[in-house]
Amino acid sequence: MAAHSRQLAVAGVLLAVLCWAGNALVARAFAGDIPPFALAFWRWTLALAIILPFVAGALWRHRGDLRHAGWRLLLIAGFGIAGYNTLLYSAAQSTAAINITLVNTCIPLMTVIAAGLLLGEWPARRAWWGMALAVLGLLVLISRADWQTLAQLAFNRGDLIMLLAVVDWALYTVLLRRWARYLAPIPPLALLGAFMLLGVPLILPLYLYELSSGAQMLATPANLAAVGYTAVFASLVAYLGWNHGVKVLGAPTAAMGNYLMPVFTAILGWILLGEGLQAFHWAGGAMIFAGLLLATRPQLKR
């Protein structure tokens, strides 16, 4: 049963990362059409409208547990719902796709450090070696096996915003684990609904400020489809999978899944955009998978 639960948790993390790879593609593709705060606000508003009829009863039944979790729920919602994606969409307005990918893959290391400091969960030595191998594979992907490409990378304001997003997500992941005993009595779907109920009002002032500056989203079929994808797959599906993965695997192990983001992005680009997979895609992807297997394989008792 434990092995089966772990397999489901790993599958949840992989599904989440796959959905978020699509989210990154949407953010970059629609950066000129959908303002960042509008995308964040309508994404979560639509997701909340979809989920609320299914969780309203559970939220009422668990209102005592929700009160007991109290400010912890608000803080987690601030990081996970209002913070990370709003920052990512803002970064996509002023930085290149390769920079977003590069900075975003700092999440595992940032999460390991946060989990060590806040939870005392430092990974075993083998996990560090696995992380190093995954990073090397990542560099192969980003550089296209040409190391001069890395030397020519330039960073700007959008990259600094993305770095804040990385810190934000690491804190969200670690706090899910730290306060698990307060969250455990609440069913996963209801818990996600509670996060949304608290997170959407936090995004609203930013959205209203954006509207006052004249930035608006046109209700075109393409824009609505983009919001629909982010609401269903990047929000509901991905967050349920991720939250379960963190609960079972722990924050540092679950965070290692972020190294697969560029692999999944390349695969989606191949399927959806007709972009061919090159030798460096296969080599880098194989190294990342090998590193993840090394880092996340169940440890023997020490």
Side-chain angles (χ1 to χ4, degrees), residues 251-268:
T253 300
M256 290 289 289
N258 286 280
Y259 284 127
L260 290 172
M261 184 80 73
V263 178
F264 288 155
T265 302
I267 293 173
L268 289 175

Side-chain angles (χ1 to χ4, degrees), residues 58-294:
L59 290 173
W60 177 253
R61 289 191 299 273
H62 289 272
R63 59 189 182 278
D65 296 319
L66 293 170
R67 282 196 299 267
H68 184 57
W71 60 271
R72 299 170 185 83
L73 277 177
L74 181 61
L75 192 58
I76 294 175
F79 285 124
I81 304 300
Y84 174 75
N85 288 283
T86 303
L87 290 168
L88 186 150
Y89 296 151
S90 299
Q93 302 289 314
S94 58
T95 192
I98 189 172
N99 291 45
I100 290 179
T101 302
L102 180 60
V103 178
N104 199 63
T105 49
C106 295
I107 285 178
L109 179 59
M110 191 69 68
T111 305
V112 165
I113 294 173
L117 294 175
L118 298 178
L119 306 177
E121 293 182 358
W122 294 102
R125 181 180 302 175
R126 185 174 63 184
W128 289 104
W129 284 112
M131 190 182 302
L133 182 58
V135 169
L136 185 58
L138 171 70
L139 293 178
V140 170
L141 275 179
I142 292 175
S143 68
R144 298 174 177 262
D146 180 4
W147 303 115
Q148 291 183 353
T149 301
L150 292 178
Q152 296 171 357
L153 285 177
F155 295 92
N156 57 29
R157 177 176 174 271
D159 302 312
L160 296 177
I161 295 175
M162 196 61 216
L163 187 59
L164 289 176
V166 166
V167 176
D168 179 287
W169 189 256
L171 289 172
Y172 167 74
T173 301
V174 169
L175 292 179
L176 277 176
R177 181 77 167 181
R178 180 179 177 86
W179 293 327
R181 65 188 180 94
Y182 295 98
L183 308 178
I186 308 168
L189 199 61
L191 180 62
L192 182 57
F195 287 153
M196 291 182 191
L197 281 170
L198 294 171
V200 169
L202 296 177
I203 305 173
L204 180 59
L206 297 174
Y207 175 52
L208 294 176
Y209 170 78
E210 189 176 69
L211 282 176
S212 69
S213 68
Q216 297 185 13
M217 179 188 77
L218 299 178
T220 64
N223 288 350
L224 294 177
V227 172
Y229 172 85
T230 59
V232 175
F233 293 99
S235 300
L236 297 176
V237 175
Y239 273 69
L240 286 172
W242 182 263
N243 292 353
H244 179 67
V246 171
K247 180 179 178 181
V248 175
L249 302 174
T253 300
M256 290 289 289
N258 286 280
Y259 284 127
L260 290 172
M261 184 80 73
V263 178
F264 288 155
T265 302
I267 293 173
L268 289 175
W270 172 51
I271 296 173
L272 300 177
L273 305 178
E275 298 176 349
L277 292 177
Q278 306 298 323
F280 66 85
H281 288 120
W282 296 107
M287 294 172 70
I288 291 174
F289 272 107
L292 292 178
L293 288 175
L294 179 62

